[in-house]
Amino acid sequence: DAGVIQSPRHEVTEMGQEVTLRCKPISGHDYLFWYRQTMMRGLELLIYFNNNVPIDDSGMPEDRFSAKMPNASFSTLKIQPSEPRDSAVYFCASSLWESGANVLTFGAGSRLTVL
Amino acid sequence: AQSVTQLGSHVSVSEGALVLLRCNYSSSVPPYLFWYVQYPNQGLQLLLKYTSAATLVKGINGFEAEFKKSETSFHLTKPSAHMSDAAEYFCAVSENTGNQFYFGTGTSLTVIP
């Protein structure tokens, strides 16, 4: 399995531009999570889906952030308009219950820099 | 809500020395516990997990962790550090519903040759 695939790996954009981050989860995994990692705040859960349905989006910072999962093999996280404080590494993770626990598998991350 | 505390944001050990990374959690019910490792510019990789079976859990790369309910701890150890162990380590907990994961702030491990 190729694992969780994220694109782009690096994105540099200017304040006010729209940013779209993409994620392909592992086939068969029925949960998908979006996390944000910064030095100041560590790992923060933004939103997670179960069977393509958003379950908890309480971590989404504000209305500028939106996430979709149109099918079991694809999810997007969109920021519009972007701001410098959105600069972070965004991780997608998918999970499957195994040995009695839900185990996360992370992608390599998308490093976003907003100038 | 759960919380995870990792004592020591930076730990340095000599190559060949014991590695001990500390993790304490808050939970009123037995949780699921995890250790993840993150190498530079990479995502988090699962090292090991505790799911209410054996309290001593063995993971990859020679790491192990012991669940101690009385101390609400899940410390990560490795008998002999290797240069390749230098990385960021995260402790995480989830409740038995398993859908919410709470991560610690991470411990950066430096291995001194």
Side-chain angles (χ1 to χ4, degrees):
Chain A
D1 197 318
V4 177
I5 299 173
Q6 292 187 246
S7 65
R9 289 294 314 277
H10 301 274
E11 173 92 5
V12 180
T13 191
E14 293 188 347
M15 184 173 62
Q17 296 298 305
E18 178 178 294
V19 174
T20 299
L21 308 178
R22 298 172 177 80
C23 175
K24 177 179 168 55
I26 292 174
S27 177
H29 284 197
D30 52 0
Y31 286 85
L32 184 140
F33 300 77
W34 282 100
Y35 285 88
R36 178 170 68 176
Q37 185 179 41
T38 61
M39 290 292 292
M40 292 298 294
R41 301 171 70 95
L43 268 168
E44 302 173 275
L45 175 65
L46 300 177
I47 185 171
Y48 79 91
F49 297 82
N50 178 220
N51 292 322
N52 314 339
V53 176
I55 303 300
D56 184 352
D57 65 354
S58 59
M60 296 286 263
E62 47 198 273
D63 293 345
R64 297 185 298 106
F65 285 69
S66 62
K68 294 182 179 179
M69 192 166 186
N71 56 62
S73 59
F74 184 66
S75 177
T76 59
L77 178 67
K78 187 173 293 186
I79 308 172
Q80 167 63 17
S82 59
E83 296 182 2
R85 60 189 168 128
D86 301 330
S87 297
V89 181
Y90 290 82
F91 287 103
C92 176
S94 66
S95 72
L96 180 69
W97 281 84
E98 57 178 87
S99 304
N102 204 2
V103 179
L104 293 173
T105 301
F106 283 81
S110 293
R111 181 176 296 275
L112 173 65
T113 302
V114 183
L115 303 174
Chain B
Q2 299 271 6
S3 68
V4 178
T5 302
Q6 290 185 240
L7 288 175
S9 57
H10 298 276
V11 171
S12 293
V13 300
S14 297
E15 190 174 16
L18 171 72
V19 176
L20 170 61
L21 305 181
R22 300 178 187 275
C23 173
N24 288 87
Y25 65 92
S26 67
S27 175
S28 58
V29 296
Y32 298 146
L33 295 156
F34 308 83
W35 275 99
Y36 283 85
V37 60
Q38 184 180 29
Y39 298 103
N41 300 315
Q42 296 186 27
L44 282 70
Q45 302 173 32
L46 181 68
L47 268 180
L48 49 81
K49 64 181 186 288
Y50 167 77
T51 59
S52 72
T55 57
L56 183 62
V57 181
K58 294 187 184 299
I60 62 172
N61 302 338
F63 284 93
E64 61 182 37
E66 186 172 9
F67 171 66
K68 292 188 176 180
K69 184 178 178 181
S70 61
E71 299 177 6
T72 59
S73 69
F74 190 58
H75 301 331
L76 182 71
T77 61
K78 182 174 180 177
S80 177
H82 191 271
M83 296 298 294
S84 61
D85 295 327
E88 188 90 12
Y89 291 80
F90 292 90
C91 181
V93 60
S94 70
E95 295 169 346
N96 55 14
T97 56
N99 299 334
Q100 283 277 18
F101 294 83
Y102 302 88
F103 283 85
T105 52
T107 297
S108 177
L109 176 67
T110 299
V111 181
I112 303 166

